[in-house]
Amino acid sequence: MSVSIRLSRLSAVALLLASVTLSAQAADAVKLQQAQSWNGAVGDEQLRWLECSLADAQSKGETVVVFGHYPLAPANEHNLWNCDALVALLCRYQVRAYFAGHYHLGDYVRVENTDFITLKGMVDGDDLLPFAMVELAGETLSVTGYGPEISRVLVR
C-alpha cells in the first residue's frame, strides 16, 4: 500500500510506505544484518511510485515527510532490507524527515539534510506510554514527546 496525502495549505506532502514481508528462506538468502524473517523490503513498484511522488513534490516546491513502519537509519537489525537504497533516495530528493516505528527503543540520525526519526514503541511501555506530536514550521521540525518519547527541535 502506498498513500500520498497533499497538505496544500502547508505546501507539504506526506507519503506513506508499506514494506513487503518476505519468507524466512529469503531472509537467510539475503545475508544482511537486518534481514530477519519478520521484516522485508520496499518492492520495485513502490520504489518507482516513491521516486515519482518525490520528483512531483520537488517540482512543486513542496516539503515532504515520509512515514513507514520499519526504520531506515541508523543501522540496526530492525531496518528494512533495502534501507540503504531508500536512504539514498530520500536524501537525493531532500525529504525533510522519515518517521518509523517498530524498533521499540526509538532512535534518531540526520543523514545529509534528512532526519530519520524512529519513535519509541508502545508495547514495551511501562505506566507511561510513549507518543508524540509533530509540527513542521518552515525549516523547523518539532517533535514533542510524551511519556518516555524524546522531544526534539530539528532545524535545517
Side-chain angles (χ1 to χ4, degrees), residues 2-122:
S2 303
V3 178
S4 174
I5 301 169
R6 293 223 177 266
L7 308 168
S8 58
R9 288 186 53 206
L10 302 174
S11 189
V13 63
L15 303 174
L16 312 177
L17 292 177
S19 57
V20 177
T21 302
L22 303 175
S23 68
Q25 294 85 1
D28 290 339
V30 174
K31 303 285 189 232
L32 295 171
Q33 172 196 359
Q34 71 270 22
Q36 308 294 325
S37 60
W38 39 258
N39 69 358
V42 170
D44 291 339
E45 183 178 340
Q46 193 170 190
L47 283 172
R48 285 189 296 276
W49 168 84
L50 178 59
E51 184 156 20
C52 287
S53 297
L54 293 174
D56 182 54
Q58 187 177 62
S59 73
K60 294 174 180 174
E62 296 174 318
T63 299
V64 177
V65 178
V66 179
F67 298 86
H69 179 74
Y70 291 101
L72 303 178
N76 73 62
E77 67 181 9
H78 296 270
N79 289 4
L80 283 177
W81 296 2
N82 56 345
C83 59
D84 292 341
L86 281 158
V87 168
L89 181 64
L90 298 182
C91 289
R92 183 170 2 125
Y93 284 94
Q94 305 234 354
V95 166
R96 182 61 186 91
Y98 175 83
F99 285 90
H102 188 78
Y103 181 50
H104 297 179
L105 299 177
D107 219 338
Y108 169 80
V109 68
R110 178 174 281 176
V111 179
E112 296 179 21
N113 229 5
T114 301
D115 292 303
F116 292 86
I117 302 159
T118 303
L119 299 170
K120 293 179 182 275
M122 296 177 77

Side-chain angles (χ1 to χ4, degrees), residues 120-147:
K120 293 179 182 275
M122 296 177 77
V123 174
D124 296 330
D126 49 14
D127 294 338
L128 298 172
L129 295 177
F131 67 97
M133 291 181 56
V134 177
E135 181 181 353
L136 179 60
E139 294 296 311
T140 302
L141 180 71
S142 299
V143 178
T144 303
Y146 295 89

